[in-house]
Amino acid sequence: MYVLVTYDINTESTAGRRRLRQVAKVCLDYGQRVQNSVFECSVDEGQFRLLKHKLEKIIDDEVDNLRFYRLGKNYKSSIETMGQDRSYDVEGPMII
Amino acid sequence: MYVLVTYDINTESTAGRRRLRQVAKVCLDYGQRVQNSVFECSVDEGQFRLLKHKLEKIIDDEVDNLRFYRLGKNYKSSIETMGQDRSYDVEGPMII
C-alpha cells in the first residue's frame, strides 16, 4: 500500500529542530522524500504500524502534527505534479 | 472530490516569499490549511482545473514544486493524524 506522510514540526527550539531531523530520518527508512516535509512510502500494514510507532515516540504532541494519507492501489493515477519534481517511481527500474 | 495540495516554494528570494503567500491564498479559496504547506480541498473537476491554472501562473517552475493527490470518495477513512490537528470536517456541521 502507498501512504503519504506529511508533517509540521515546531522548529522554534533546538529540540524541535532535532525532532525534525529524526522524523525525516525515520521516514527515509520507509519511502522517498518528494518535498521538504512530504514523504511517499510503499509499506504493508505491519510496516505502517511500525513507522507510526517510531514517529509517535519522536514528536511532541503539543506542538507537532503528522498526517498520514492512504493513497490506495491506483495511487499513480491519483498524483499530479507541477514544477520541479524530485520524486521517482518506486516500482520502476532502478538504474545504478 | 477531495484533493490534497502540497507544495515546496523556494523562499530564498523576496519573489519566492511572495509566491508562497500567493499560493497559500489561492489554496485557501478552495479548501482548508491542515499544515503549513498542505491543503485539503473539496472540489469538482472544473474547480480543480481552475485551481491548478491559478497556481501554475504563480509558481516558478524552475525552483518550486506542487503536488496534487486525489484522495477519492472514502477519503475520511484514509486520513490519520498525530499530534496537534488543526483540520476540520469540511462536510460536518459549521457551528458559528
Side-chain angles (χ1 to χ4, degrees):
Chain A
M1 115 186 119
Y2 210 63
V3 174
L4 189 70
V5 184
T6 71
Y7 53 77
D8 263 2
I9 306 297
N10 184 307
T11 54
E12 286 161 18
S13 64
T14 311
R17 288 187 287 279
R18 188 181 318 116
R19 291 197 306 274
L20 182 69
R21 287 193 301 272
Q22 292 172 332
V23 163
K25 195 163 173 287
V26 166
C27 289
L28 271 175
D29 287 344
Y30 291 84
Q32 64 166 314
R33 182 176 227 159
V34 294
Q35 287 179 348
N36 282 340
S37 53
V38 178
F39 285 76
E40 292 180 10
C41 305
S42 188
V43 287
D44 60 32
E45 286 293 344
Q47 291 165 326
F48 187 32
R49 269 196 305 276
L50 192 55
L51 169 61
K52 286 187 287 185
H53 175 69
K54 288 178 182 177
L55 294 174
E56 203 155 32
K57 287 200 303 184
I58 296 170
I59 66 163
D60 177 340
D61 276 342
E62 295 303 311
V63 293
D64 300 335
N65 177 246
L66 277 156
R67 298 182 74 80
F68 305 93
Y69 299 87
R70 294 169 184 253
L71 295 182
K73 289 184 222 61
N74 308 318
Y75 68 88
K76 281 186 191 174
S77 61
S78 73
I79 303 174
E80 293 174 53
T81 182
M82 209 183 265
Q84 279 302 313
D85 180 8
R86 65 197 236 195
S87 69
Y88 61 86
D89 178 357
V90 290
E91 290 169 6
M94 179 71 81
I95 299 149
I96 298 172
Chain B
M1 129 181 109
Y2 210 62
V3 175
L4 189 71
V5 183
T6 72
Y7 53 78
D8 262 2
I9 305 298
N10 184 308
T11 53
E12 287 161 19
S13 65
T14 311
R17 287 187 288 278
R18 189 180 319 118
R19 291 198 306 273
L20 182 68
R21 286 192 301 271
Q22 290 172 332
V23 163
K25 195 163 172 289
V26 165
C27 288
L28 271 175
D29 287 344
Y30 292 83
Q32 63 166 315
R33 183 176 227 161
V34 294
Q35 288 178 350
N36 282 339
S37 52
V38 178
F39 284 76
E40 292 179 10
C41 303
S42 189
V43 288
D44 59 33
E45 286 293 345
Q47 292 165 325
F48 186 33
R49 269 195 307 274
L50 192 55
L51 169 61
K52 287 187 287 186
H53 176 69
K54 288 179 182 177
L55 293 174
E56 202 153 33
K57 288 200 300 182
I58 294 171
I59 67 164
D60 177 340
D61 275 344
E62 296 302 312
V63 293
D64 300 336
N65 178 244
L66 278 155
R67 297 183 74 79
F68 304 93
Y69 299 87
R70 292 167 184 257
L71 296 184
K73 288 184 222 68
N74 308 318
Y75 68 89
K76 281 187 191 172
S77 62
S78 74
I79 302 173
E80 294 174 52
T81 182
M82 206 183 268
Q84 278 303 311
D85 180 7
R86 66 197 237 192
S87 69
Y88 60 86
D89 179 354
V90 290
E91 289 167 6
M94 179 72 80
I95 299 148
I96 299 169

